[in-house]
Each structure stands twice: as structure tokens, then as C-alpha cells.
Amino acid sequence: MLLAHPASDTTPVSALHPPLFPGLPPHLRTLAFIDLETTGLDASRHEVLEVAILRVDARSLTVLAEYEARVQPTRLADADPAALAVCGYSDEEWRDALPLEEVLATVTPLLTGTLVAGHNTSFDWGFLVEGYRRTELPLPSVDYHRLDTASLAWPLLATGEVESLSLNALARRFGLHRPSPHRAMADARCALELARCLAVRMARGGHMERLLEESGGVS
């Protein structure tokens, strides 16, 4: 389902309200938080089962539009049973799932002109790239950078504030509720909320300064 949002479903990050640099390229002014559920970990062999996209204003981190869909698998014989169990796959639950080509055609305008973001973004983006290749659809034009909340949170791991960079550990650190782990839209929203928390933390300082102090500063 594709929905437009005039305002975010949560409070915008006030620390991000000052205008972005006037010369910032258009493709850095909008983020696309993505999350996929798949039949396994290998994009060359496994398939996409679920897609969620949040198109987000980069200044306020408010949601501009969103889309989520279940995708019809075509090679379940290749699926990892553990992956199917994690994302709750069943023939009944996926009876109204859409063909991958139809889902990607809808996703394309939401991705176009954005900086792709998420948690462990390279995994999800790799499956999207492979999906576009398989369906012979043109890959959306996105910025070559990726915004990964796992990488942004690395100082928290380095200073011992979290035990891992998993979405679950970081959500717990900031008190974020995860009602449906390993569902695409729930995890995309959680990654966005994590980005908001990290943005505020970075604006206020704290963990990076502490890390530099403990390590003796930058040499």
C-alpha cells in the first residue's frame, strides 16, 4: 500500500531544523529508508519476500510517503527454512502477494533522487539491485552514498554502551518499541526512529567526545 504523509507519525527531530547547506545536491535532501525480508542471505540465490520504503525529508526526518508489499516467491525450493520462519512466511499469509516486477515498479519513484538509508543497508540494497536485474527494470537513480544506522551507532559499541550493532540492541538502548521484529515496515520505521535518536545524540555531543578522550584524541 502506498501512502502519502503530510507530517511524520512521530515528533520531528528539532536538532535538525536549521536549513541544510544551500548547495546540497537534491539527491541528498531526501532519504529512502528501506527494509526487506528475504528467503535467505544470498541475493544471487534467494528472493525478496517483503519490501518497505519510507521516503523521508532529510532535514526534519519526517515521512513524506511510504510503501509496503509482500512479494510472491517463485523459487521456494531454494529458500532457507530458518529465514522463512524468521519472517513468518506461509502460503496463506502470502496469498495476496504481488509479483516482484510490480512491486519494484511502484518502489522506483520512491527511491529515485534519494540517499538510500536503513539498518545494514548494503544487505537490503543488494537484494534490490539483484531484483531489478532479474526483472530487467532500470535501477533507480540514487546517490552513491548509503546511510547506515549500524555504522552511525559504532561509537556506542566502541564505548561499551551497547553489546552489538544489531537493530534489536540499539532499539533497546534508546527505548524504541519493536512490535513486529523482522517485518519490513516495522523494521524500516525502527531504523528511522534510531536515526532520529542518533541525530539528536550527535547534535548534543557525548559518545564521540568520550571515545576520543579515552583513546587520547585523534593523532
Side-chain angles (χ1 to χ4, degrees), residues 86-203:
V86 163
C87 63
Y89 174 84
S90 71
D91 291 341
E92 176 65 18
E93 287 291 323
W94 260 255
R95 67 184 182 279
D96 296 324
L98 302 174
L100 179 61
E101 185 172 3
E102 182 177 338
V103 171
L104 293 182
T106 305
V107 161
T108 294
L110 289 175
L111 289 172
T112 299
T114 68
L115 171 64
V116 175
H119 197 77
N120 294 324
T121 322
S122 60
F123 175 85
D124 301 281
W125 183 247
F127 268 89
L128 280 180
V129 169
E130 179 62 17
Y132 277 100
R133 187 194 67 79
R134 288 179 180 173
T135 57
E136 299 183 346
L137 291 173
L139 194 66
S141 175
V142 298
D143 189 78
Y144 68 93
H145 296 93
R146 301 287 176 263
L147 191 154
D148 192 336
T149 49
S151 297
L152 290 178
W154 173 82
L156 299 179
L157 180 68
T159 56
E161 292 190 49
V162 293
E163 71 278 10
S164 82
L165 293 175
S166 70
L167 186 56
N168 195 51
L170 293 167
R172 188 164 56 248
R173 167 63 184 81
F174 288 102
L176 302 178
H177 182 48
R178 293 188 73 196
S180 305
H182 299 293
R183 294 306 305 271
M185 183 54 78
D187 284 355
R189 289 190 184 283
C190 190
L192 173 57
E193 291 299 330
L194 176 58
R196 288 172 174 152
C197 292
L198 290 169
V200 171
R201 183 71 180 267
M202 290 174 183

Side-chain angles (χ1 to χ4, degrees), residues 26-108:
H27 50 81
L28 295 181
R29 297 174 186 172
T30 309
L31 307 175
F33 277 80
I34 66 173
D35 192 89
L36 276 61
E37 299 303 323
T38 65
T39 63
L41 301 178
D42 184 351
S44 67
R45 188 163 61 93
H46 296 126
E47 297 180 277
V48 176
L49 281 176
E50 194 173 22
V51 174
I53 308 284
L54 294 170
R55 190 174 172 100
V56 175
D57 177 75
R59 183 176 70 92
S60 63
L61 294 185
T62 55
V63 178
L64 304 173
E66 65 181 55
Y67 174 75
E68 63 178 323
R70 289 177 175 168
V71 181
Q72 293 174 355
T74 60
R75 302 188 315 280
L76 277 178
D78 294 334
D80 180 345
L84 296 180
V86 163
C87 63
Y89 174 84
S90 71
D91 291 341
E92 176 65 18
E93 287 291 323
W94 260 255
R95 67 184 182 279
D96 296 324
L98 302 174
L100 179 61
E101 185 172 3
E102 182 177 338
V103 171
L104 293 182
T106 305
V107 161
T108 294

